[in-house]
Amino acid sequence: MEYVVTANELTKTFGSFTAVDRLTLQIKRGEIYGFLGPNGAGKSTAIRMFCGILEPTSGSGTVLGYDLVREAEKIKPKIGYMSQKFSLYDDLTVQENLNFYAGLYGLSRGARKERVREMVAMAGLTGRENELAANLSGGWKQRLALGCAIIAGPSLVFLDEPTSGVSPTSRRMFFGIIQEMAARGVTVMVTTHFMDEAEYCNKIAFIAGGRLMAVDTPDNLKQNVLGGYLVELAVPNAMDMMDGIGRLPYVRECSLHGPVLHVLLDDAAHAAALRQYAGAEPRPVPPSLEDVFIALARRPPR
């Protein structure tokens, strides 16, 4: 089995604060690997260690076969990296941004022209090559930034919250591009807090408080993490009732999902008691990744 990213007890501390705590994982070639967790969970810190930007405090890891500590400088030219800030130059045109990054990655003049053309087409910006980046909408900027990150044709790409601040339509289009990249054998590690995006991932690692809480496919996480009996409850004042329901002895979790509550019961036998308490019919529902996210975020780290 060929792993393009490995981590073994990887740890990063800043003074007395542990941002990433003994992270162990393996990522296969061609996977879309989602890194989920609440803000401050340690996702970006882990990504920066994998990119060779931050040196681990302890533990070990490899990226594309290079050691994270001893060979960090060899990793940087071999990967693509894109953050939520998009790293574009607003006073440069679409083509000038791409040419600039092609130069940074050391592409030859001959290769540069073809790759710029390919990235313009990938981003859907054909005909807008001479438009300033500042004049592009969030979704177009996002796709241009991805083009800049992958212009050298890396086999491994790290995307750190790449869809923050763009529309749902732009997010779907962006993940369509990611899926096409993965189909060509490119490995993509992406951090996100959007559950609909996580569904596109082949595997998801959930991190909270710097620690890995669970790793599996989206379907397996939904089937195996929660346990119990999940029901949907449509009540008039859902937010007002949430705390009271959450304190019932037979309720494991209670969370708001739009206008309704999702309530995780110990088992189906308690549905009648919940119906009597809430004055509404509990309706069994399949778990979503959002249910998994909420349950894992509330668990104490192992």
Side-chain angles (χ1 to χ4, degrees):
M1 183 65 65
E2 185 183 7
Y3 294 116
V4 293
V5 178
T6 69
N8 183 34
E9 301 277 308
L10 200 63
T11 300
K12 181 63 181 178
T13 60
F14 297 96
S16 61
F17 175 68
T18 302
V20 175
D21 190 0
R22 293 168 291 166
L23 177 67
T24 296
L25 55 78
Q26 298 86 32
I27 303 177
K28 300 176 190 173
R29 183 172 300 281
E31 274 190 323
I32 303 175
Y33 195 97
F35 218 28
L36 270 67
N39 289 336
K43 305 186 298 295
S44 294
T45 301
I47 289 275
R48 287 170 188 146
M49 283 194 283
F50 291 133
C51 290
I53 298 169
L54 281 178
E55 184 175 339
T57 304
S58 62
S60 62
T62 62
V63 171
L64 298 172
Y66 296 112
D67 185 271
L68 281 184
V69 177
R70 298 193 310 272
E71 301 174 294
E73 291 306 312
K74 294 181 181 179
I75 293 170
K76 294 173 187 176
K78 304 285 187 182
I79 62 171
Y81 170 71
M82 175 183 164
S83 74
Q84 59 184 306
K85 296 182 176 62
F86 293 171
S87 304
L88 294 174
Y89 291 91
D90 279 347
D91 56 344
L92 297 183
T93 66
V94 168
Q95 185 150 336
E96 286 168 343
N97 267 286
L98 289 166
N99 272 317
F100 173 76
Y101 278 95
L104 280 185
Y105 282 109
L107 269 66
S108 67
R109 189 174 296 275
R112 189 178 308 183
K113 186 175 181 180
E114 179 62 17
R115 283 300 288 170
V116 168
R117 187 191 63 76
E118 289 174 2
M119 293 301 98
V120 167
M122 178 276 294
L125 287 165
T126 302
R128 303 176 69 179
E129 292 90 342
N130 295 319
E131 190 165 340
L132 288 176
N135 297 336
L136 299 176
S137 69
W140 296 114
K141 281 185 176 181
Q142 173 203 53
R143 292 192 285 281
L144 175 58
L146 177 62
C148 291
I150 66 172
I151 196 162
S155 59
L156 173 61
V157 182
F158 293 98
L159 306 174
D160 193 6
E161 297 283 357
T163 58
S164 293
V166 301
S167 70
T169 301
S170 292
R171 291 199 282 116
R172 284 193 296 274
M173 289 179 68
F174 188 79
F175 265 82
I177 294 170
I178 290 173
Q179 287 176 306
E180 291 171 6
M181 289 166 52
R184 296 195 302 270
V186 177
T187 308
V188 181
M189 187 176 193
V190 55
T191 71
T192 182
H193 57 269
F194 293 113
M195 296 303 107
D196 58 331
E197 292 182 355
E199 293 280 3
Y200 294 114
C201 299
N202 304 116
K203 192 169 282 187
I204 296 170
F206 186 91
I207 186 171
R211 292 191 183 180
L212 196 63
M213 305 291 283
V215 182
D216 215 326
T217 65
D219 286 343
N220 285 348
L221 284 172
K222 286 184 280 189
Q223 290 171 16
N224 302 329
V225 166
L226 292 182
Y229 183 70
L230 186 67
V231 298
E232 183 179 273
L233 202 60
V235 288
N237 301 304
M239 188 172 289
D240 295 337
M241 294 193 68
M242 193 165 63
D243 285 346
I245 291 173
R247 286 195 293 268
L248 295 171
Y250 48 82
V251 170
R252 298 184 186 182
E253 302 278 352
C254 180
S255 57
L256 191 65
H257 289 243
V260 300
L261 294 174
H262 278 201
V263 184
L264 183 62
L265 303 171
D266 284 336
D267 53 56
H270 290 105
L274 180 61
R275 182 189 309 115
Q276 186 172 0
Y277 177 88
E281 185 65 33
R283 188 175 68 86
V285 291
S288 68
L289 275 180
E290 190 170 354
D291 295 308
V292 172
F293 185 103
I294 291 168
L296 288 172
R298 291 177 177 172
R299 286 184 185 176
R302 292 176 295 194

